[in-house]
């Protein structure tokens, strides 16, 4: 580290970088990132009028710095730089060089939520319809298929699926009563494939479930299937059919919503099916569908990137 910064700043920064290298054994890339972010921050602080060492820095100076780079840096970059500053001050507090972590007084920038990653329709069919190994017990095959059909066919959350009881499913009406977030109940329809899968599972269930167990989906020991157990089985299924990606219950829920929207379903109806309290949450799927449409356009239209 060069000595272009005032000594009051340079020395503790050099000590911190040495701490990262020798005590925390951080990678060279991580060390370079911390050094660059911290030097850039304190250079900016000096330009904003900060004088003295780190113990003299005020939260208003950090706020002014973040405001000055607001338009030039992405929220993730600003958050990373603030995180580096917090780590530096955490080190100084532990060493008794400053009385408090002034960077903790600054809230992190709000980061954009990543868009849901939906499976393609062909990937969903592969997950549901691919054959199962001969060594898998029939009850497990039928239970897993019924779970998958409900996750994708009704857009249930993992906790909602695992929380289902026998009395929540009405095969004659093709509906399932779901207890969602905030203890709010909703009725969700399911299709013919889910109906057939559930019927087959219910035929096997009595031989697996413990006496008096009300859970719709049970594990090997006869008790209610856990969220962890559901995720493990779904991961196993994705590996079994060589899907080439990690699949979670939420990915199937995203796929349910995205495919409905692609098919022309009303956004308000999708909101009701998913049990979203806010339409804004459901509107995230419009961005997913627009992104999918853009890829189709680029690949097929003469004016798209894939056109000749």
């Amino acid at each position: 580290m060069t000595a272009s910064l005032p000594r009051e700043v340079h020395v503790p920064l050099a000590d911190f970088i040495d701490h990262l290298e020798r005590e925390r054994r951080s990678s060279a890339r991580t060390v370079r990132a911390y050094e660059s972010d911290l030097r850039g921050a304190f250079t900016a602080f000096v330009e904003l009028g900060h004088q003295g060492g780190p113990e003299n820095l005020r939260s208003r100076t950090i706020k002014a710095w973040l405001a000055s780079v607001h338009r030039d840096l992405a929220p993730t970059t600003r958050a990373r730089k603030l995180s580096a500053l917090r780590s530096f001050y955490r080190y100084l507090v532990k060493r008794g060089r400053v009385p408090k972590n002034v960077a903790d007084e600054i809230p992190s920038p709000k980061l954009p939520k990543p868009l849901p990653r939906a499976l393609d329709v062909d990937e969903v069919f592969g997950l549901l319809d691919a054959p199962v190994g001969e060594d898998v017990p029939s009850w497990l095959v039928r239970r897993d298929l019924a779970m998958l059909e409900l996750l994708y066919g009704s857009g249930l959350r993992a906790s909602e699926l695992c929380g289902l009881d026998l009395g929540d499913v009405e095969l004659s009406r093709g509906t399932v009563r779901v207890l969602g977030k905030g203890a709010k109940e909703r009725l969700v329809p399911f299709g013919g494939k889910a109906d057939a899968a559930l019927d087959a599972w219910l035929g096997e269930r009595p031989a697996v479930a413990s006496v008096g167990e009300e859970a719709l989906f049970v594990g090997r020991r006869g008790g209610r299937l856990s969220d962890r157990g559901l995720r493990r089985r779904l991961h196993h299924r994705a590996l079994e059919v060589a899907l080439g990606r990690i699949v979670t219950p939420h990915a199937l829920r995203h796929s349910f919503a995205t495919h409905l929207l692609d098919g022309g379903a009303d956004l308000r109806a999708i909101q009701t099916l998913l049990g979203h309290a806010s339409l804004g949450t459901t509107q995230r799927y419009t961005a997913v569908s627009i992104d999918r449409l853009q890829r189709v356009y680029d690949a097929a239209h003469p004016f798209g990137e894939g056109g000749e």
Side-chain angles (χ1 to χ4, degrees):
M1 180 179 289
T2 62
S4 58
L5 288 170
R7 177 177 174 79
E8 297 91 340
V9 175
H10 165 67
V11 172
L13 276 182
D15 290 345
F16 176 61
I17 295 303
D18 186 68
H19 163 73
L20 293 177
E21 293 174 333
R22 297 176 182 273
E23 297 181 33
R24 288 179 51 177
R25 298 187 181 277
S26 301
S27 68
R29 182 178 179 180
T30 297
V31 172
R32 286 195 301 270
Y34 270 106
E35 182 175 359
S36 175
D37 285 342
L38 290 170
R39 287 185 59 79
F42 275 96
T43 298
F45 297 155
V46 171
E47 293 174 353
L48 289 168
H50 169 65
Q51 296 179 348
E55 68 278 4
N56 301 119
L57 186 65
R58 299 292 179 263
S59 60
R60 62 175 177 269
T61 305
I62 302 177
K63 291 178 181 178
W65 164 60
L66 289 174
S68 69
V69 299
H70 178 81
R71 293 185 177 180
D72 298 326
L73 299 178
T76 50
T77 304
R78 298 200 305 274
R80 189 199 71 217
K81 290 180 180 294
L82 180 58
S83 176
L85 199 61
R86 285 173 177 159
S87 295
F88 174 52
Y89 269 88
R90 193 176 304 121
Y91 162 81
L92 295 179
V93 170
K94 287 183 178 180
R95 294 297 190 275
R97 295 190 179 186
V98 298
K100 64 178 181 179
N101 190 337
V102 67
D104 277 344
E105 300 174 8
I106 312 301
S108 297
K110 289 186 177 181
L111 302 179
K113 293 182 179 179
L115 292 173
R117 186 182 176 193
L119 280 72
D120 294 333
V121 174
D122 288 343
E123 289 179 319
V124 174
F125 284 165
L127 195 67
L128 297 176
D129 299 338
V132 179
E134 296 180 358
D135 59 334
V136 182
S138 62
W139 73 266
L140 189 58
V141 173
R142 290 175 177 172
R143 187 205 66 182
D144 287 357
L145 182 58
M147 293 193 305
L148 288 169
E149 289 287 357
L150 269 185
L151 285 172
Y152 175 66
S154 298
L156 304 188
R157 299 179 177 94
S159 59
E160 293 172 346
L161 183 94
C162 294
L164 291 176
D165 290 334
L166 287 170
D168 293 328
V169 177
E170 291 192 46
L171 293 179
S172 60
R173 297 180 58 188
T175 61
V176 58
R177 185 174 66 248
V178 179
L179 186 63
K181 289 185 176 180
K184 293 182 179 179
E185 283 193 0
R186 69 184 191 279
L187 277 180
V188 183
F190 53 80
K193 290 189 66 177
D195 181 87
L198 281 167
D199 189 54
W201 160 239
L202 289 173
E204 295 267 8
R205 183 186 175 281
V208 185
S210 299
V211 176
E213 178 59 64
E214 292 297 318
L216 175 61
F217 295 112
V218 298
R220 294 179 183 273
R221 297 182 179 180
R224 185 181 299 275
L225 183 70
S226 66
D227 185 296
R228 182 178 180 182
L230 168 62
R231 294 175 187 278
R232 184 165 52 243
R233 288 304 303 166
L234 186 52
H235 178 66
H236 177 80
R237 179 60 176 164
L239 292 175
E240 188 175 48
V241 302
L243 199 59
R245 57 170 291 186
I246 296 175
V247 179
T248 64
H250 223 58
L252 289 176
R253 177 172 161 87
H254 289 327
S255 304
F256 164 81
T258 302
H259 296 167
L260 278 176
L261 193 59
D262 287 344
D266 177 73
L267 198 61
R268 287 283 185 186
I270 297 176
Q271 177 190 2
T272 300
L273 290 170
L274 291 174
H276 285 158
S278 168
L279 184 63
T281 305
T282 315
Q283 284 175 330
R284 289 186 299 160
Y285 298 105
T286 62
V288 175
S289 291
I290 289 172
D291 181 60
R292 289 159 63 91
L293 289 173
Q294 183 67 55
R295 292 199 299 269
V296 172
Y297 177 89
D298 287 342
H301 196 278
F303 291 165
E305 293 180 0
E308 297 180 358

